[in-house]
């Protein structure tokens, strides 16, 4: 349809316990985001790529037809 849904899960990565500090990652769990796509998106040409922890989504748009104004005398 006209909705793009992104779902994922952040897993508990690591704890750092060293001489001078203690750090624990607290941001983890399942997430879901939904986006309504505009009519001008070519839905069958959507592309996604996940690389080095970054999700890139390409949403190609339909070419918009330019309006031509004709002056009639």
């Amino acid at each position: 349809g006209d909705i793009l849904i992104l779902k994922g899960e952040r897993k508990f990565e690591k704890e750092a316990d060293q001489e001078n500090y203690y750090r624990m990652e607290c941001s983890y769990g399942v997430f879901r985001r939904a986006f309504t796509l505009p009519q001008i998106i070519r839905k069958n040409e959507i592309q996604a790529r996940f690389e080095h922890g970054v999700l890139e989504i390409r949403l190609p748009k339909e070419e918009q037809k330019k309006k031509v104004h004709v002056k009639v005398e």
Side-chain angles (χ1 to χ4, degrees):
D2 294 337
I3 298 177
L4 174 64
I5 299 173
L6 301 177
K7 295 187 284 186
E9 180 178 359
R10 290 177 124 182
K11 299 204 176 181
F12 187 72
E13 290 292 327
K14 65 179 180 177
E15 291 183 23
D17 188 10
Q18 294 186 3
E19 225 174 272
N20 300 340
Y21 68 93
Y22 176 79
R23 179 179 67 92
M24 184 172 85
E25 185 73 34
C26 294
S27 180
Y28 59 92
V30 177
F31 64 89
R32 175 188 161 129
R33 301 289 184 270
F35 303 92
T36 303
L37 299 176
Q39 293 292 330
I40 61 172
I41 299 297
R42 295 191 305 243
K43 295 166 186 71
N44 59 341
E45 296 180 26
I46 294 174
Q47 297 177 352
R49 182 174 71 173
F50 186 76
E51 189 174 331
H52 304 293
V54 177
L55 177 62
E56 177 183 344
I57 301 173
R58 293 181 180 247
L59 306 168
K61 297 190 306 186
E62 294 283 346
E63 291 192 28
Q64 296 179 352
K65 299 185 183 202
K66 296 180 181 180
K67 294 181 181 180
V68 177
H69 296 281
V70 178
K71 183 177 179 180
V72 178
E73 295 180 21

